[in-house]
Amino acid sequence: MLEYGEDMDIKRDDLLQMYYYLRLTRRLEERITSLYHQGKILGGAWTSNGTEAVSVGYAYALEKNDIAATYFRDMGAFLVRGISPKRIMAHYLGKKTGVSGGKDGNVHIGDLNHGVFGFPSHLADNYPVGTGAALAFMIRGEKKVVAACTGDGGTSRGDFHEAMNLASVRKLPIVFFCNNNQYAYSTPLRMQMAIKDVAERALAYGMPNKIVDGNNVAAVYTAAKEAYEYARNGGGPTFIECKTMRMHGHSEHDSAKYVPRELLEEWKKKDPILTIEKFLLENNITKKEELDDIDARVEEEIDEAERFAIESPFPDPEETFTGVYATPVEADENVM
Ligand SMILES: Cc1ncc(C[n+]2csc(CCOP(=O)(O)OP(=O)(O)O)c2C)c(N)n1
């Protein structure tokens, strides 16, 4: 596993930006959780708490025209791709100004203007969707890549394997990430696969694979960047397993009492934000005051997002069916 500092070719500004996104992701989800407990959001609240470095790291390594085929613990990717906390908060509150215009809620977030596919709820169906996009890029001769992410549980589904196989056979420009946070809802890893590392699954498809510390944003970023370059230059897909730990319940209604407390204590010490903070300070890359300023900026943004969402209107009932189906075009009578 990559140590901070070792083989690291990341500029100071980028490290600080990744710190900012980690903090923004954590605080936005904490605010959403608090609103959830106040009964103010529509539906449930799933967070990426403890695993934020996965989505921040892989999304930060993408280029502007690339695509992210995200899953539901990828809040960091939504933010890195430029979907604003305001629109995300309004989405959670079911408001007209939200990402889906109030038609959908919670983690069902996507916006092609930001290169993020809408998330299919069925796990791991974003893998085949991403694979399809990668096939299209290849056919069109576009030098773009796709990043697709799923949880450890998602890798036990058939769709996962079909996507991995096709991507490898056709050498498609896609990089598959696994947020291995040890549990699929209440099912621990050992109860859903007989192998030690999820990365072994890639061997069956002749696909290069890598295991990284999923709490080390620099390690995720570095591995992602390398794999994107390989894919962009025709090398084909890579599978990257990011080992991390889900520090909250499956969603905020779940106390996760099935997770041994000692395990959580152990991972708490490896928190991704603490880890990068320690690294930045110990290596004199920044000073505490600079990090405090970033934290203050994040708090302001989150306050502003909450205000915006609360003050925003709900969608008009007349809009119920707009944007749901493609607008029908006049049928051409000459075309059978
Ligand atoms: C095909 C399918 N089966 C079941 C579900 C319900 N479900 C949503 S999340 C989840 C657990 C997912 O675990 P994992 O893939 O490990 O992701 P994690 O929650 O650990 O990030 C389940 C069973 C679903 N969305 N899709």
Side-chain angles (χ1 to χ4, degrees), residues 74-88:
D74 281 340
M75 179 67 90
F78 304 143
L79 293 169
V80 170
R81 298 296 292 173
I83 303 179
S84 73
K86 282 183 175 175
R87 290 181 67 219
I88 292 173

Side-chain angles (χ1 to χ4, degrees), residues 154-168:
T155 73
S156 295
R157 293 259 313 146
D159 319 80
F160 165 89
H161 295 275
E162 291 178 24
M164 294 276 287
N165 186 53
L166 178 65
S168 197

Side-chain angles (χ1 to χ4, degrees), residues 46 71-73 121-124 150-155 157 179 181 183-185 192 246 250:
W46 287 258
Y71 93 122
F72 69 96
R73 284 197 212 282
S121 222
H122 301 79
L123 305 165
T150 195
D152 39 284
T155 73
R157 293 259 313 146
N179 177 326
N181 54 42
Y183 282 82
Y185 208 135
Q192 51 143 323
R246 195 192 75 201
H250 167 69

Side-chain angles (χ1 to χ4, degrees), residues 103 316-327:
K103 290 200 174 70
D316 304 322
E318 301 81 65
E319 286 172 22
T320 307
F321 295 108
T322 58
V324 176
Y325 301 102
T327 312

